Amino acid sequence: MIELMKVKSLLFGLTVALIFFISIPAGLIWLNSALSLSLYTFPIAKAMGFILSLTGFLLFFYCFNLFILLGKGTPVPIEPPNKLVSNKLYKYSRNPIYIGYFMMLFGIAFYFGHLLLFVYALLSIPGIHFYVVSFEEPVLLKRFGKSYTEYYKATPRWL
């Protein structure tokens, strides 16, 4: 049985996905066209974009499930994990779920071929990095203390 908080987390996650992976890209496609900015339509780029997006989505889905199964929570702030997730993919990177986000954003950019989508994907990297360093890591340190400090020292933030 799905708990009410899991449903809230799922709705929160879907709202974030709707904003960052559908609404903003759609607006940028419109703006790119309105400003007559660069557009390309290479079949290989579309294929690469599809593969990147699908891989990023699968990576996100896998990480989300790790939070549920191992962390006894979700990656969503309203239902955070009760246990530190530091194994599986999290043994190699502290943020594989965000790597999945980057893959999806670059996949969208390659698939649709609009210049502003590439700018958005590129700007997402420092934006998410800033969020992780200034908000997420201090919260995790406060929540998990010494175990997070050890994990932080042993595992790279990205790759």
Side-chain angles (χ1 to χ4, degrees), residues 60-75:
F60 164 79
F61 187 74
Y62 176 75
C63 291
F64 194 95
N65 282 312
L66 288 178
F67 274 83
I68 292 170
L69 299 172
L70 303 176
K72 306 300 180 200
T74 72

Side-chain angles (χ1 to χ4, degrees), residues 83-155:
K83 297 179 180 180
L84 180 65
V85 178
S86 59
N87 53 359
K88 307 281 185 183
L89 283 180
Y90 285 88
K91 177 171 45 176
Y92 306 104
S93 168
R94 294 195 312 267
N95 298 291
I97 202 165
Y98 291 126
I99 294 170
Y101 290 171
F102 297 144
M103 292 172 77
M104 286 188 280
L105 290 174
F106 278 100
I108 290 167
F110 276 107
Y111 187 83
F112 290 103
H114 291 268
L115 175 65
L116 290 180
L117 291 175
F118 282 102
V119 172
Y120 176 53
L122 286 171
L123 291 177
S124 74
I125 294 171
I128 289 175
H129 178 79
F130 177 77
Y131 171 78
V132 166
V133 171
S134 64
F135 175 75
E136 197 168 83
E137 289 177 349
V139 167
L140 291 170
L141 179 59
K142 187 176 180 180
R143 183 178 299 135
F144 297 113
K146 184 180 176 187
S147 61
Y148 182 74
T149 301
E150 291 170 2
Y151 175 61
Y152 180 94
K153 290 178 182 176
T155 309

Side-chain angles (χ1 to χ4, degrees), residues 16-73:
V16 169
L18 177 67
I19 293 167
F20 289 101
F21 298 106
I22 297 174
S23 298
I24 292 174
L28 292 173
I29 288 171
W30 176 86
L31 184 59
N32 198 99
S33 297
L35 297 174
S36 299
L37 297 176
S38 295
L39 170 69
Y40 65 88
T41 56
F42 302 115
I44 189 99
K46 280 198 176 294
M48 190 168 82
F50 178 79
I51 291 167
L52 264 174
S53 292
L54 180 61
T55 304
F57 175 77
L58 292 173
L59 179 57
F60 164 79
F61 187 74
Y62 176 75
C63 291
F64 194 95
N65 282 312
L66 288 178
F67 274 83
I68 292 170
L69 299 172
L70 303 176
K72 306 300 180 200

